[in-house]
Amino acid sequence: MIETNDPTPTRMLFLGDSALTDGFQLIGFETWPDPSVQQLEQVISELVNTRTNAFVVLDCRLAEKHSRILDRVR
């Protein structure tokens, strides 16, 4: 077992096609079905501003959209 000294758990988020959200939700992800680019930017900005540890999965259609904050994070 790997122990960490970080008491804050890593948030797991899925942003993408609503057809996939149920599966991600079943395995513990926070889900954002069919988000707009504006919603994507709000979520990513919040994570960056609060310096929250996160594992974020984006579907390919959303990942290909133009987003300044997403470009910055990449």
Side-chain angles (χ1 to χ4, degrees):
M1 176 185 226
I2 298 173
E3 291 186 35
T4 64
N5 293 330
D6 185 6
T8 307
T10 298
R11 285 178 64 184
M12 299 187 313
L13 298 98
F14 171 75
L15 293 92
D17 192 324
S18 62
L20 301 173
T21 55
D22 286 345
F24 277 96
Q25 199 167 35
L26 284 172
I27 58 174
F29 278 71
E30 297 174 41
T31 57
W32 294 78
D34 300 322
S36 65
V37 173
Q38 182 181 8
Q39 288 172 313
L40 168 66
E41 290 191 348
Q42 286 176 326
V43 171
I44 302 298
S45 292
E46 175 193 331
L47 294 171
V48 169
N49 291 337
T50 60
R51 302 186 57 83
T52 301
N53 293 330
F55 176 66
V56 180
V57 178
L58 304 175
D59 77 1
C60 58
R61 286 180 284 181
L62 187 59
E64 292 170 354
K65 303 261 185 187
H66 176 70
S67 164
R68 293 182 108 177
I69 191 74
L70 189 56
D71 291 342
R72 178 178 157 210
V73 170
R74 287 181 178 153

